[in-house]
Amino acid sequence: MRGAAIASRVPIFPLLDDQVEDLQRLQKAAHKITSILDLDDLIENIVNDVARSFGCVEANIYLHEEDKGEMVLAGVHGCTTQHKGHRLKVGKEGMVGYVASTGQMRYAPDVRKDEYYQACEPSTLSEVAIPLHVGDRLVGVFTASHPELDAFPRQQLRILQALCDHVAVAVHNARRFQSERQATATLNREAQEARAIQQALLPKSSPYIPGFAVSGLSIPAGAVGGDWYDFIPFPDGRWGLVLADVSGKGTAAALLMSATRGMLRSLAEACCSPGEVLTKLNQLLVNDFPAGKFVTMVYGVLDPEARTVTFANAGHLLPLLIENGGARFVDVERGLPLGLGDGDYSECRINLSEGSRLVFYSDGITEAVNANEEEYGLDRLSELAMKPEASVIDIADDVRAFANGAGVRDDASIVLVHVGRPS
């Protein structure tokens, strides 16, 4: 009862009709501007629709460029003498510069008597400039002008100030969104350019080797990846075959892959054996690679005349050999991943009979998973590769189908050597 008695003594002042209308316009305007994330659209809406609804004959928004100490005109309504891009120095030029430096609203009921006012429209007689703040940060300044003296009553100034609180937050969010969108677009463009460059480093076509069909395919998990395969022709008719996987993903892995490719090609063209090539390559990478980064690689030399492949393996998945209706994985004695530490690399020579197949592959193939988190695995790869008509495209498509179209989690690459009749 006591609380009710106290409450009954609090005076209640009903809102006037024009105040209700102002508050309704404020609510409507705030709802509209806070839903717009495009900066240009937002500012156009503020200086046009919002300014018009509050009876502002002229309205402008200046944005703060902190690094230059300037205010830049970003939105114009009803002004014919100043255009977008017009600049004012903070603290030195006009009511806008003054408000930007003091952080306080300035109202000139008669602009002819205001020391900071800079003439704009000849008909302008009153103007208000309101700072746009988010916390302690100056976002910009909103101005409204009118051809009548003292055209902004106290109630409307309070409404405009309240509106500017919403405008400041909306502009701040829109500028952040614009900045993030531009950064994302730049990253996407750079990623696509990197992808194009990386794809250009892969073989343009399968090599022509009489009596052999050699093909390769690489599917990056992202725009760029750390997998790489190559076919390197030698003057004596032999071919270098390589498939490598750099630790990690994305741009960093792609950069390390590109560097590894250049070094391997230089060493391979010196006609060293596969074991010697990997030993020398490892010595270079141990000195150059960042700590914790490494490359797994299988590198072989195909001799079409002798119908052999001699290869060395640097910690990579074991090559799959299919012959006489069976499949087996071929290992070597020594071969740590490249870049981890000093070591040498042993070799293995395989005699290739008619109809046999040799498959190099990366873990993006065997470790692809389906919806049940089951891996594609070596058995499924062997079963498919044993089919005489299977190609690198068939293997890649089967991996994608196994993964329910979700794509590979890691870069996936394949090199397939199919042995035909002697030429």
Side-chain angles (χ1 to χ4, degrees), residues 18-352:
D18 58 343
Q19 293 176 322
V20 173
E21 291 178 3
D22 281 342
L23 290 173
Q24 289 175 336
R25 283 197 294 268
L26 172 62
Q27 183 181 26
K28 182 179 179 180
H31 177 75
K32 183 174 183 178
I33 63 177
T34 53
S35 66
I36 301 173
L37 283 177
D38 183 271
L39 183 62
D40 292 335
D41 288 347
L42 172 65
I43 291 176
E44 286 299 313
N45 271 275
I46 294 170
V47 298
N48 290 315
D49 299 345
V50 175
R52 198 176 292 120
S53 69
F54 281 88
C56 305
V57 176
E58 180 188 336
N60 301 316
I61 285 186
Y62 285 82
L63 296 182
H64 184 210
E65 287 195 358
E66 189 172 356
D67 57 332
K68 296 181 179 179
E70 293 180 339
M71 307 299 296
V72 182
L73 185 57
V76 185
H77 171 83
C79 181
T80 60
T81 61
Q82 295 176 352
H83 306 283
K84 288 183 180 180
H86 178 69
R87 293 175 176 269
L88 297 172
K89 289 290 184 181
V90 173
K92 296 181 180 180
E93 296 182 276
M95 290 176 61
V96 169
Y98 174 82
V99 167
S101 65
T102 63
Q104 300 295 319
M105 180 185 77
R106 185 171 185 86
Y107 175 45
D110 186 346
V111 297
R112 296 169 300 184
K113 299 178 181 179
D114 191 280
E115 59 182 309
Y116 295 102
Y117 177 75
Q118 282 189 346
C120 181
E121 293 296 306
S123 60
T124 297
L125 290 178
S126 57
E127 181 172 293
V128 61
I130 304 173
L132 304 176
H133 278 114
V134 174
D136 295 330
R137 183 174 182 179
L138 175 67
V139 174
V141 172
F142 171 84
T143 69
S145 306
H146 202 279
E148 296 179 3
L149 291 171
D150 201 9
F152 298 95
R154 186 181 299 273
Q155 175 65 24
Q156 192 170 50
L157 290 176
R158 286 199 294 266
I159 292 293
L160 285 174
Q161 283 183 298
L163 173 64
C164 284
D165 289 339
H166 295 285
V167 169
V169 173
V171 169
H172 176 69
N173 290 340
R175 294 183 85 175
R176 287 186 58 185
F177 176 76
Q178 183 184 62
S179 177
E180 291 170 1
R181 183 170 59 182
Q182 290 172 346
T184 300
T186 299
L187 289 174
N188 289 338
R189 183 169 60 254
E190 291 176 351
Q192 292 305 315
E193 291 173 353
R195 182 184 180 91
I197 292 171
Q198 187 175 47
Q199 291 298 310
L201 297 178
L202 296 174
K204 303 295 186 297
S205 60
S206 298
Y208 174 69
I209 307 175
F212 293 82
V214 179
S215 56
L217 181 67
S218 184
I219 309 167
V224 292
D227 275 13
W228 159 61
Y229 73 93
D230 205 356
F231 309 129
I232 306 171
F234 297 128
D236 60 4
R238 296 182 304 156
W239 284 81
L241 309 176
V242 58
L243 192 148
D245 182 0
V246 179
S247 61
K249 298 183 181 68
T251 303
L255 289 172
L256 295 177
M257 178 275 284
S258 179
T260 304
R261 174 187 182 274
M263 287 185 275
L264 176 71
R265 273 192 160 252
S266 296
L267 293 171
E269 289 168 1
C271 295
C272 301
S273 70
E276 292 172 329
V277 167
L278 292 193
T279 299
K280 292 180 179 180
L281 178 60
N282 181 59
Q283 292 171 351
L284 295 173
L285 296 185
V286 166
N287 295 326
D288 291 348
F289 260 31
K293 293 296 182 180
F294 60 90
V295 182
T296 66
M297 178 185 297
V298 57
Y299 170 59
V301 174
L302 171 64
D303 187 334
E305 186 174 346
R307 298 175 74 78
T308 62
V309 169
T310 303
F311 75 90
N313 193 335
H316 199 77
L317 297 172
L318 303 183
L320 171 63
L321 177 63
I322 297 169
E323 59 180 357
N324 302 322
R328 64 186 178 93
F329 295 93
V330 186
D331 201 356
V332 293
E333 291 183 5
R334 299 181 307 280
L336 290 173
L338 301 167
L340 288 180
D342 294 332
D344 61 351
Y345 296 82
S346 57
E347 298 175 353
C348 178
R349 175 172 293 183
I350 301 172
N351 293 312
L352 299 172

